[in-house]
């Protein structure tokens, strides 16, 4: 729901200096330096954003004389703190009751995301000097993308360490289909995922975006096979996943974005022990995702980015953070991911996660379709 509200507002009311839908048909030239870019107060603004800004988000932008952005970041901090307080107190006073835990955790997760965004956005906005360059990095969704790589899982309770990872993604109009899989190099253990997305808001195939914002409806199916341990697990999920371009709340934040997602999954575990029959188990999963990211410029080709994120799901290899007390079992895992394209077609990606296990790996990316000619000229 948070993603719907945020991205919906983004689509309805572009801020000062943002491209209109009509203007997005062709890539805009890189804007000239603003007064904030050349401000002699920038080093002081960055230092203020890091230290006093830890308590008062937006303080760095206030020093930079970007008072509107500073106010927006401070409001975001207040809303985030309020959501965390309401959700956390509800968990505490209800004893993490199953009747209240879903909305409470959602409030805490959304509030924590807003707090992190307002703080990191203040640092990024005061430190970045080339936000206007991101205009030349926007491109329509690619028709095809493939990924092949290696993943390492370190979990004392899990016997498998090394996995081959493969993913294929195909965009057809507003629809995207993305099958992927993790395949153990040691035994008959694998995790398959089939994901379909419908683009509710934002650019589809062939449409050049005006910024990085979009909203997707995601339907996913997961199957995990552990034949040596004689059990399998399957799940179906539905979620809303969106990205909001932070340039819409302040020109100094161009080139940064926030990802938000929320959904529900129903899973079933089936057992096949030798000599007996055991009924399967059902589980209900609250899905949630938050990420703060930056679009890379410079030598990186379009499509390159880096992101810090929190993932609430507990049914993958990283699972949930180990915690104690009333918070036990409620936390997901944290991670950092990045994509770096060395050309319009080839690139690399990396991902590292920390939960009840440590997960990391790298991949080779390939996009058969290059950047459209009109964007290539703009670059």
């Amino acid at each position: 729901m948070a993603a719907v509200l945020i991205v919906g507002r983004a689509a309805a009311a572009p801020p000062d200096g943002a491209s209109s839908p009509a203007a997005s048909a062709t890539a805009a030239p890189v804007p000239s330096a603003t007064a904030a870019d050349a401000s002699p107060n920038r080093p002081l603004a960055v230092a203020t954003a890091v230290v006093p800004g830890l308590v008062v988000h937006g303080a760095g932008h206030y020093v930079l004389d970007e008072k509107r952005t500073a106010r927006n970041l401070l409001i975001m901090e207040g809303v985030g703190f309020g959501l965390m307080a309401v959700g956390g107190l509800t968990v505490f006073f209800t004893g993490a009751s199953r009747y209240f835990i879903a909305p409470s955790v959602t409030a805490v997760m959304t509030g924590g995301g807003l707090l992190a965004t307002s703080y990191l956005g203040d640092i990024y906005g005061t430190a970045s000097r080339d936000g206007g360059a991101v205009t030349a990095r926007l491109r329509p969704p690619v028709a095809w993308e493939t990924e092949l790589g290696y993943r390492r899982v370190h979990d004392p309770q899990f016997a498998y360490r090394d996995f081959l990872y493969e993913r294929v993604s195909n965009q057809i109009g507003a629809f995207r289909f993305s099958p992927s899989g993790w395949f153990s190099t040691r035994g008959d253990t694998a995790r398959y995922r089939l994901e379909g997305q419908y683009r509710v808001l934002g650019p589809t195939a062939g449409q050049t975006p005006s910024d990085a914002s979009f909203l997707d409806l995601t339907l996913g199916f997961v199957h995990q096979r552990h034949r040596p341990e004689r059990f399998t697990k399957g799940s179906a999920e539905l979620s809303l996943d969106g990205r909001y371009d932070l340039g819409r709340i302040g020109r100094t934040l161009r080139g940064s974005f926030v990802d938000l997602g929320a959904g529900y999954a129903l899973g079933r575990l089936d057992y096949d022990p030798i000599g007996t029959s055991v009924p399967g188990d059902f589980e209900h999963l609250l899905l949630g995702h938050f990420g703060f990211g930056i679009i890379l410029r410079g030598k990186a080709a379009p499509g390159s980015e880096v992101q810090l994120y929190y993932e609430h799901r507990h049914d993958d290899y990283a699972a949930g953070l180990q915690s104690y007390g009333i918070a036990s079992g409620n936390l997901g895992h944290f991670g950092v991911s990045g994509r770096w394209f060395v050309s319009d077609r080839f690139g690399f990606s990396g991902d590292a996660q920390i939960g009840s296990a440590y997960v990391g790996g790298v991949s080779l990316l390939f996009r058969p379709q290059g950047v459209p000619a009109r964007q290539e000229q703009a670059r």
Side-chain angles (χ1 to χ4, degrees):
M1 181 59 71
V4 177
L5 294 176
I6 291 178
V7 181
R9 179 185 175 190
D16 298 338
S19 300
S20 65
S24 66
T26 58
V30 177
S32 58
T34 64
D37 294 331
S39 173
N41 294 331
R42 184 172 293 275
L44 177 59
V46 174
T48 303
V50 172
V51 184
L54 185 62
V55 178
V56 183
H57 299 181
H61 276 81
Y62 189 85
V63 172
L64 201 62
D65 201 28
E66 290 286 329
K67 296 180 180 178
R68 177 186 174 188
T69 305
R71 182 176 65 252
N72 290 338
L73 293 173
L74 185 60
I75 292 173
M76 191 182 297
E77 178 190 17
V79 174
F81 182 80
L83 286 172
M84 285 197 70
V86 170
L89 289 174
T90 301
V91 171
F92 178 79
F93 286 112
T94 62
S97 168
R98 62 178 180 175
Y99 301 106
F100 296 93
I101 194 64
S104 300
V105 169
T106 301
V108 171
M109 182 172 55
T110 304
L114 291 175
L115 282 173
T117 298
S118 55
Y119 178 63
L120 295 175
D122 194 21
I123 297 174
Y124 167 83
T126 54
S128 175
R129 297 174 179 266
D130 62 344
V134 77
T135 306
R137 299 291 163 147
L138 300 176
R139 58 174 297 160
V142 293
W144 285 94
E145 182 177 281
T146 63
E147 181 176 359
L148 180 64
Y150 165 78
R151 297 292 185 269
R152 174 80 174 180
V153 178
H154 179 71
D155 185 345
Q157 302 182 45
F158 190 54
Y160 305 94
R161 294 286 183 268
D162 304 300
F163 288 82
L164 177 69
Y165 176 72
E166 186 174 9
R167 179 182 64 88
V168 178
S169 182
N170 179 213
Q171 182 84 32
I172 305 174
F175 293 91
R176 175 171 289 275
F177 302 94
S178 304
S180 62
W182 293 55
F183 308 96
S184 173
T185 61
R186 178 180 169 185
D188 195 359
T189 294
R191 174 185 171 92
Y192 305 92
R193 177 177 175 86
L194 176 60
E195 181 178 281
Q197 291 182 315
Y198 174 73
R199 179 59 52 90
V200 180
L201 293 172
T204 58
Q207 296 180 347
T208 304
S210 58
D211 63 18
S213 301
F214 63 81
L215 178 66
D216 291 338
L217 178 65
T218 302
L219 177 65
F221 301 93
V222 177
H223 175 73
Q224 296 185 57
R225 184 182 71 237
H226 301 273
R227 283 195 178 155
E229 291 76 22
R230 308 187 68 83
F231 78 93
T232 61
K233 181 178 179 180
S235 64
E237 63 189 60
L238 184 66
S239 63
L240 278 173
D241 303 284
R243 172 169 292 186
Y244 179 63
D245 192 319
L246 291 176
R248 291 183 175 269
I249 67 172
R251 59 183 179 179
T252 56
L253 300 180
R254 290 173 301 185
S256 64
F257 59 86
V258 58
D259 281 355
L260 288 171
Y264 166 79
L266 177 64
R268 175 184 170 92
L269 289 104
D270 291 298
Y271 310 96
D272 185 27
I274 299 175
T276 186
S277 177
V278 178
D281 292 325
F282 286 93
E283 64 177 357
H284 303 268
L285 298 171
L286 174 66
L287 305 179
H289 175 87
F290 161 79
F292 176 85
I294 296 172
I295 297 174
L296 300 178
R297 282 85 79 182
K299 295 183 179 180
S304 303
E305 63 184 45
V306 63
Q307 180 178 162
L308 295 169
Y309 65 88
Y310 169 79
E311 184 67 53
H312 189 67
R313 70 183 313 141
H314 294 67
D315 64 335
D316 55 7
Y317 292 116
L321 283 168
Q322 294 180 341
S323 56
Y324 303 94
I326 200 169
S328 177
N330 289 324
L331 296 176
H333 56 269
F334 293 89
V336 55
S337 64
R339 296 159 61 89
W340 180 283
F341 282 92
V342 297
S343 70
D344 296 332
R345 295 179 178 234
F346 292 96
F348 300 91
S349 70
D351 187 34
Q353 305 171 18
I354 178 172
S356 59
Y358 299 96
V359 180
V362 294
S363 298
L364 175 66
L365 300 171
F366 175 65
R367 304 182 295 200
Q369 181 180 358
V371 177
R374 64 187 181 189
Q375 283 216 213
E376 187 66 39
Q377 294 173 1
R379 289 173 56 200

